[in-house]
Amino acid sequence: MSDTRSQLKQIAIEQIRRRTLHAASFRELGKVAGIKSSSVHYHFENRDALLLELVKDYEQDFFIRLEQRCHELSDPGQQLQQLAALFLLSQQSQYQCLCLAFAAAGDETNDQQRAAVEQFLQRLETWISAVLARAADHADSAPQLARVILSALEGALLLDRDQPQAPRLNAVSQWLTTLIRSHSDQQPETL
């Protein structure tokens, strides 16, 4: 991938995550990159193709980071904490979830983009559900609870966007701590 193409994608991601989907127009991307908007067309067929590529890249990058954080963790509570930590890092950078920006854009997105966002959300719900299923207390309700957790994280990230202390995200993170007792708490005491 060319340096300019990579730079344009990075600018688009930052513009969307800091502002809205509207901020990723070819004119705006060219302006920020210091090139003509017609030059942006050289790198991407059209804006829809760029946006679809961004969602797919975001999903891949998100799960790479999540797996790196959870690679050596077997405790479901710790794994959920690492998920919450990713959301807190976004908030500290004043970023929203890229997929949340797409979801908020409504009719501005096309069917392929909406399907890619839904794929990301379902994949994350499946990951959360698998983590919850390993916790005996939540195995039966894991899929439904996974949706609640994802909704709480996404909503808190949006509501805390300009808050220096992230009160809602921190509340969700603390709730996740109490939701699943660590494996050591579940182990029977030995004499």
Side-chain angles (χ1 to χ4, degrees), residues 78-183:
Q78 291 176 343
Q79 290 176 331
L80 290 177
Q81 283 302 302
Q82 290 304 313
L83 174 62
L86 283 176
F87 279 80
L88 283 162
L89 284 172
S90 290
Q91 190 278 336
Q92 290 166 357
S93 299
Q94 295 183 336
Y95 281 160
Q96 63 182 323
C97 172
L98 185 79
C99 290
L100 183 62
F102 275 78
D107 291 343
E108 188 180 342
T109 59
N110 65 31
D111 290 342
Q112 285 182 308
Q113 294 160 359
R114 284 189 291 277
V117 168
E118 185 60 28
Q119 177 180 309
F120 168 80
L121 295 173
Q122 287 181 357
R123 184 175 175 192
L124 189 49
E125 286 174 359
T126 299
W127 184 91
I128 296 168
S129 185
V131 169
L132 292 169
R134 289 193 301 275
D137 293 347
H138 301 292
D140 293 337
S141 61
Q144 192 70 11
L145 188 52
R147 286 186 197 100
V148 171
I149 290 170
L150 179 56
S151 298
L153 287 166
E154 291 284 6
L157 180 60
L158 178 63
L159 293 171
D160 283 351
R161 191 169 179 184
D162 296 324
Q163 300 293 320
Q165 302 301 318
R168 292 160 193 89
L169 262 176
N170 282 311
V172 172
S173 181
Q174 290 170 2
W175 171 64
L176 290 174
T177 302
T178 63
L179 182 66
I180 298 179
R181 288 177 270 139
S182 69
H183 286 308

Side-chain angles (χ1 to χ4, degrees), residues 36-63:
K36 294 179 183 179
S37 63
S38 60
S39 297
V40 178
H41 284 278
Y42 172 78
H43 297 282
F44 304 100
E45 180 182 342
N46 55 43
R47 184 171 179 262
D48 284 341
L50 166 64
L51 294 177
L52 181 60
E53 192 173 326
L54 293 178
V55 172
K56 290 179 178 183
D57 289 352
Y58 180 78
E59 177 182 355
Q60 181 179 353
D61 293 344
F62 184 91
F63 281 96

